[in-house]
Amino acid sequence: MKKIQISPSILSADFSRLGEEIKKLEEAGADMIHMDVMDGHYVPNLTIGPPVIKSLRKHTHLKFDVHLMIAPVHNFIDSYANAGADIITIHPEATENLQDSIKKIKDLNKQVGLSLNPETNIQIIEKFLEKIDLILIMSVNPGFGGQKFMPEVLDKVKRLKEIRDTRGLSYDIEIDGGINFENSKIAIEAGANILVSGTTIFKSNNGDIKKNIDLLRST
Ligand code: DX5
Ligand code: ZN
């Protein structure tokens, strides 16, 4: 049974004080920091780039769980690796050669994640499952925080857990989008072992980050 980890998304943080916010997340017991990178092309929103990640790197030793919502993504991988990403997660549709992009991330000694949008089937990544460290199941359409959880994606979580267990693989299953105190338990029961949350962690219980992280982990 994999340990349940919480990866708060800084998408809901105060962008004018990101360094302090990152420190608060570490003190509150976050296991890693989820950084939603959006290019305004693959998704209709624009967030942070390598200079911001580089400047945040010195504020914490926590793993940077970097979710690249960029297309085409291949030529940007180096700059996020050099900025301090520890996990680099890409969308399979965002690269012309997924094998090459996975190899590039591994050659940079970073952990490889692949992200499946709600309408993307597991088949698109099935032949790469031995090579990757993490699968990020989107439970919203990528682009914005604060959206409603899409429970139908839990079938993919269950299937990926089945495949991992029967084939003796070891990838983590991370779920991202609309995770709150009501649905975190069913996401964990389905097989997710890393929960991404932005709105629930930063906005619930008058912004009591430690309480919200503890509640998500324990539900
Ligand atoms: C969507 C983002 C969000 C974010 C979490 O592209 O990936 O899912 O991380 O946002 P909340 O927790 O506010 O739904
Ligand atoms: Zn994300």
Side-chain angles (χ1 to χ4, degrees), residues 25-69:
L25 288 171
E26 182 166 15
E27 284 152 16
D31 295 288
M32 57 185 86
I33 309 284
H34 189 82
M35 300 196 161
D36 282 309
V37 176
M38 299 180 187
D39 66 352
H41 173 240
Y42 181 67
V43 291
N45 198 355
L46 192 61
T47 58
I48 59 173
V52 175
I53 293 178
K54 189 169 168 36
S55 71
L56 293 173
R57 185 66 274 178
K58 57 182 174 294
H59 288 280
T60 179
H61 296 297
L62 283 182
K63 254 189 193 180
F64 281 0
D65 169 29
V66 177
H67 177 191
L68 296 183
M69 289 163 271

Side-chain angles (χ1 to χ4, degrees), residues 7-12 34-38 43 45 67 69 91 115 117 136-149 175-180 196-203:
S7 186
S9 165
I10 58 169
L11 193 61
S12 303
H34 189 82
M35 300 196 161
D36 282 309
V37 176
M38 299 180 187
V43 291
N45 198 355
H67 177 191
M69 289 163 271
H91 285 254
S115 184
N117 288 332
L136 176 61
I137 299 293
M138 296 305 296
S139 35
V140 295
N141 286 306
F144 297 92
Q147 299 179 79
K148 196 168 168 348
F149 180 75
I175 191 161
D176 178 358
I179 294 292
N180 58 35
V196 174
S197 168
T199 305
T200 294
I201 287 179
F202 282 97
K203 312 284 187 227

